[in-house]
Amino acid sequence: MLGVSTHASEQEKLTLLAEGNELPLLNNRFRIDHEIDKITLLFFRRPGSPAVVLIRPDGSKLYAPHALNDDQLQWHDERGYDLIELRNPMPGPWQVVGQILPQSRIMVLGDISLEVDALPPLLFRGEIIKLTGRVLNDGEHVEVGHFQQVINLQVDFVSTNNNEFTNFGAGTEHVAYFKDDGRGFDERPGDAIFTGEFRLDFAPGQWRPEIALTTPLIQRKVVQEPVVVKEPPLTYELIKGENDADHELVFRLDPELVQPQSVLLQGRIFYPNNDEQVFSLPASALAERRLKISNYDRGRYEVEVEMFATNINGREFMAYLPKHEFVITQPIERLVESQATTPNSEADMQRANLALDEQDSLMTQEQSKGSQSLLENIQLVVLANLVILFIGAVLIRVFLLKKPLVPGANLLFWRKKQQGQLNASQVNLGKNGSKSDKSGEILNLSLSDD
C-alpha cells in the first residue's frame, strides 16, 4: 500500500488510495512515499498466527521484538492483527510476510477522530441511555470489517465538584464499554459505528460526560458539556392495610419534570412468602397512580418499577427506578406510613413521624402487658410451692415423727400421759401387797412372809 504525503494534493490522495486509507495487497507488497515522516499500518491476519514480518526496500527485516530497542518503531501484536507505527520509514517498496487474511487490506491510519451524539441536559437516575459514536480516519468513514477488533469505546461520567449538587467530590463513574460487534444495541459489526446503552446507576448531581476512543497506539477523547442527573420524577406513599385488607402503594408524579399523561408504569411485587406478581399501570392524565398489594401479614415486601415517559423537554425516556421496600412487623389496626424517594413537603415528614410514633406506642403497650402477665404467673407458682411445702411438713411431723401439730399442746399432753401411767402403776402395786406413803418418797417393794 502507498503512504500519503501530508503535502500531497487531494487528487494524488484519491489516486494512491482509491478506497480511502486502505488498499488491497498486491503480492503482499506496498510502497511508502519519500515525503512520509510517520506512518501507521494495520495488518489483519489469521487469529492466533504469528506476527507478520516487514521487509524494507533494502532487504532487511523488521520483527515485532525490534520495537523494544528501536525508538523509530512501535509494534502492537494482538491475536488477529498487527498495529505498527514507523517514523522516518525508508522510502520505496515494502513487503509483508505472514498469514494475512484473504481479501485483507492494509490500512494507513491517519487522523483518527471520534464523533459522539450529545447527551441531553436533563437526565434521571436509573435512566437507560442509548449512545452512538462514529470513528473517522482522516475525516472519512471507516468501512473495514476487522477494524472493530482494534477500537474500544469507554463512557465515563466525571463529577464537576460543584458544591451546589449532592455529587460534590464523587470522582469518576465508569458506566460503559462499547464494542463494534453487532451485539446489543450495536446495529452492524465492523462498521466503525459504536451504538450501546448504559444505565445511570449513580448519585444524582452535575456530571461531565467523557467518551474515550482507545487503540493500542491511538487515544481520542470527547468531553461534552455538563449534564444534570436528577432523582426520578416519582415518589411513593404506602398505605398499610387494616387487619386483612390489601396494602396500597401510591405513586405521585412530578409534573414539573415529566408529562403525567405520558407515564406508563410496570414492574414486579415480591412478597414475604417468595411469591412474585407482575403489574402494569396505564397512562393517565392524573399525577397519582395506585397499586394494590396483597396483605400477607408480617414480612418484607419489595416493589420494582420501570417507567416509560416523556420529560418536560419532550424527550422520551425509560428508567429503572430504585427498588421500594417496606416491612410489616405486627398485625395492623390502623397505621399509615409515608415514604418517598424525595419528600414532597414538611407535612409528609410530619405524617410519617406520627405514624412511626403510633407504631412504637403500640409495641410498648404490648411489651408492658406481657411483662405484667409474666410477673403474676411467677407469683402464683411461688405461692403454690410454699403451700405444698407447708402441708408436707405438717404430715411428716404428725404421722412420721408422732409429734403434735402445736408444740405447747405437745407438752401438756405428755405430762398428763406420764401422770396417768404413774397412778396406774401405784394401783397395781397395791394389789400385790406393796404400799407407799402418801408423800410418794418411799416405795415398799418387800415381799410378804408368806
Side-chain angles (χ1 to χ4, degrees):
M1 186 188 70
L2 298 179
V4 180
S5 170
T6 56
H7 303 290
S9 66
E10 287 298 319
Q11 182 61 40
E12 290 175 338
K13 180 176 180 181
L14 292 175
T15 301
L16 297 177
L17 301 175
E19 300 183 32
N21 283 15
E22 34 114 0
L23 278 178
L25 283 173
L26 302 175
N27 296 322
N28 287 2
R29 296 177 182 274
F30 60 96
R31 181 181 180 85
I32 297 180
D33 191 88
H34 67 281
E35 295 183 350
I36 294 297
D37 296 327
K38 183 177 74 170
I39 187 171
T40 303
L41 304 174
L42 178 60
F43 300 93
F44 298 106
R45 49 181 167 75
R46 296 185 185 279
S49 62
V52 300
V53 179
L54 291 180
I55 302 177
R56 295 187 181 98
D58 63 359
S60 60
K61 300 178 182 63
L62 284 179
Y63 297 91
H66 288 167
L68 298 175
N69 302 312
D70 189 348
D71 295 337
Q72 303 296 313
L73 175 65
Q74 292 190 55
W75 196 312
H76 187 81
D77 171 19
E78 274 291 346
R79 186 173 182 270
Y81 65 88
D82 291 281
L83 185 59
I84 306 168
E85 181 181 280
L86 297 172
R87 295 182 181 179
N88 299 314
M90 182 181 296
W94 287 63
Q95 187 172 359
V96 57
V97 178
Q99 298 186 33
I100 306 297
L101 288 175
Q103 299 180 348
S104 178
R105 299 169 183 267
I106 297 177
M107 293 189 63
V108 178
L109 300 184
D111 183 15
I112 299 295
S113 59
L114 174 65
E115 294 181 350
V116 182
D117 294 343
L119 290 173
L122 176 60
L123 300 169
F124 298 110
R125 180 185 178 193
E127 185 175 345
I128 305 298
I129 299 297
K130 181 179 178 180
L131 186 67
T132 299
R134 301 169 185 84
V135 180
L136 304 178
N137 187 14
D138 281 339
E140 298 177 355
H141 187 69
V142 180
E143 294 184 353
V144 177
H146 302 291
F147 194 57
Q148 50 92 7
Q149 302 177 29
V150 184
I151 299 177
N152 290 322
L153 205 64
Q154 177 176 322
V155 181
D156 296 333
F157 277 71
V158 182
S159 172
T160 59
N161 286 328
N162 189 333
N163 56 14
E164 296 181 359
F165 294 89
T166 57
N167 68 326
F168 176 74
T172 301
E173 292 286 344
H174 304 286
V175 298
Y177 292 92
F178 289 173
K179 288 281 190 180
D180 183 19
D181 55 5
R183 299 179 181 179
F185 277 81
D186 192 54
E187 296 177 359
R188 292 192 306 165
D191 61 356
I193 299 177
F194 294 77
T195 304
E197 68 170 10
F198 53 89
R199 180 179 177 183
L200 301 179
D201 192 16
F202 46 81
Q206 190 179 62
W207 299 88
R208 184 176 62 254
E210 296 185 357
I211 299 91
L213 178 149
T214 59
T215 71
L217 300 179
I218 301 172
Q219 289 79 38
R220 297 289 185 270
K221 180 181 290 187
V222 174
V223 179
Q224 297 189 356
E225 292 296 321
V227 296
V228 176
V229 179
K230 291 184 174 292
E231 288 285 5
L234 178 147
T235 59
Y236 305 93
E237 179 181 353
L238 176 68
I239 301 176
K240 294 184 179 180
E242 300 178 8
N243 297 324
D244 295 330
D246 290 340
H247 308 300
E248 193 172 43
L249 188 61
V250 182
F251 302 97
R252 290 192 173 89
L253 304 172
D254 187 350
E256 296 183 358
L257 296 175
V258 68
Q259 300 175 13
Q261 68 275 11
S262 69
V263 176
L264 299 175
L265 299 177
Q266 70 176 22
R268 290 186 298 174
I269 306 170
F270 300 90
Y271 290 97
N273 61 352
N274 294 325
D275 282 352
E276 296 183 16
Q277 177 186 347
V278 178
F279 71 88
S280 178
L281 299 179
S284 170
L286 300 177
E288 182 177 289
R289 313 288 165 82
R290 292 177 177 264
L291 173 65
K292 294 289 186 180
I293 300 177
S294 299
N295 188 348
Y296 282 147
D297 200 20
R298 304 182 183 185
R300 180 181 297 275
Y301 296 71
E302 297 180 354
V303 181
E304 291 183 351
V305 182
E306 297 177 47
M307 172 185 283
F308 304 85
T310 303
N311 68 10
I312 55 172
N313 297 327
R315 181 179 63 87
E316 294 184 346
F317 68 92
M318 177 181 67
Y320 289 92
L321 305 186
K323 184 181 296 184
H324 181 74
E325 300 180 356
F326 63 94
V327 178
I328 303 300
T329 58
Q330 61 181 357
I332 303 169
E333 296 297 334
R334 185 174 181 82
L335 183 62
V336 178
E337 177 191 21
S338 177
Q339 294 180 342
T341 305
T342 304
N344 285 335
S345 63
E346 184 177 354
D348 291 338
M349 294 295 295
Q350 293 177 352
R351 187 162 58 251
N353 291 334
L354 289 175
L356 293 176
D357 292 343
E358 181 179 350
Q359 184 177 7
D360 292 340
S361 177
L362 291 174
M363 294 178 64
T364 302
Q365 292 178 8
E366 292 295 332
Q367 292 175 354
S368 178
K369 291 179 181 179
S371 300
Q372 183 177 359
S373 176
L374 179 61
L375 180 60
E376 291 177 354
N377 291 336
I378 293 175
Q379 292 175 346
L380 289 175
V381 171
V382 173
L383 181 60
N385 289 333
L386 291 176
V387 171
I388 293 172
L389 290 175
F390 178 75
I391 294 175
V394 170
L395 295 177
I396 293 173
R397 183 178 182 87
V398 173
F399 292 100
L400 295 181
L401 300 179
K402 303 300 182 180
K403 294 183 179 181
L405 184 61
V406 181
N410 180 35
L411 180 59
L412 180 61
F413 172 77
W414 183 252
R415 287 180 178 176
K416 288 183 178 180
K417 182 177 180 180
Q418 285 184 336
Q419 187 65 35
Q421 290 177 351
L422 180 59
N423 292 338
S425 175
Q426 291 176 350
V427 172
N428 291 335
L429 289 174
K431 291 180 180 181
N432 293 328
S434 300
K435 61 181 178 181
S436 173
D437 59 10
K438 294 181 180 180
S439 64
E441 295 177 356
I442 301 175
L443 179 62
N444 186 3
L445 298 178
S446 61
L447 298 176
S448 62
D449 293 339
D450 297 337

